[in-house]
């Protein structure tokens, strides 16, 4: 099901992982070893984002910080986007990140 994310302009790779960080599957223009590393990175980063959101929620006493809906790390040429237990690498000049995140949100519900 996550394979269809590759049809979005600019998406180079997509991977999924379990809640414990274990690699489930991945597709795209990266070798399987790099897809596994991408999934591991996304799991670790997701935990960091969740920890930061929990702290913001606790210290500000404002609602809406948690749970985080996802995250994006944008570099000069590419970005890494993650929603739930999915992660994608996309080219900045070709990808519509808003559309990608919406599609990832939908794909993560299956």
């Amino acid at each position: 099901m996550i394979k269809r994310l590759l049809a979005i302009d600019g998406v180079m790779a997509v991977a999924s992982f379990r809640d414990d960080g274990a690699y489930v599957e991945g597709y795209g223009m990266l070798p399987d070893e790099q897809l596994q590393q991408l999934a591991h990175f996304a799991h670790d980063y997701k935990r960091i984002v969740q920890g930061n959101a929990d702290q913001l929620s606790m210290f500000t006493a404002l609602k809406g910080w948690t749970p985080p809906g996802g995250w994006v790390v944008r570099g000069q040429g590419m970005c890494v986007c993650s929603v739930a237990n999915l992660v994608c690498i996309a080219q900045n000049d070709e990808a519509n990140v808003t559309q990608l995140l919406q599609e990832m949100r939908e794909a993560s519900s299956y």
Side-chain angles (χ1 to χ4, degrees):
M1 192 52 134
I2 67 170
K3 246 187 202 183
R4 70 185 180 111
L5 294 172
L6 288 173
I8 299 172
D9 289 341
V11 175
M12 298 173 53
V14 59
S16 65
F17 53 94
R18 292 193 317 227
D19 287 337
D20 65 357
Y23 174 74
V24 176
E25 63 181 333
Y27 306 98
M29 299 169 52
L30 297 176
D32 199 49
E33 181 180 323
Q34 288 182 345
L35 289 169
Q36 290 177 16
Q37 291 172 351
L38 176 63
H40 182 72
F41 164 75
H43 174 261
D44 290 348
Y45 204 86
K46 176 182 176 180
R47 294 188 60 169
I48 291 169
V49 169
Q50 181 65 54
N52 288 340
D54 289 344
Q55 288 180 352
L56 286 168
S57 179
M58 182 175 64
F59 290 128
T60 64
L62 298 173
K63 295 181 181 184
W65 290 106
T66 59
W71 54 266
V72 177
V73 176
R74 187 177 175 106
Q76 185 175 7
M78 293 185 284
C79 62
V80 179
C81 305
S82 184
V83 173
N85 289 356
L86 297 177
V87 60
C88 286
I89 294 180
Q91 295 176 330
N92 290 339
D93 58 349
E94 294 182 23
N96 179 334
V97 176
T98 302
Q99 175 195 4
L100 178 56
L101 291 172
Q102 290 171 346
E103 295 288 336
M104 289 177 73
R105 191 173 301 116
E106 183 180 327
S108 70
S109 65
Y110 295 118

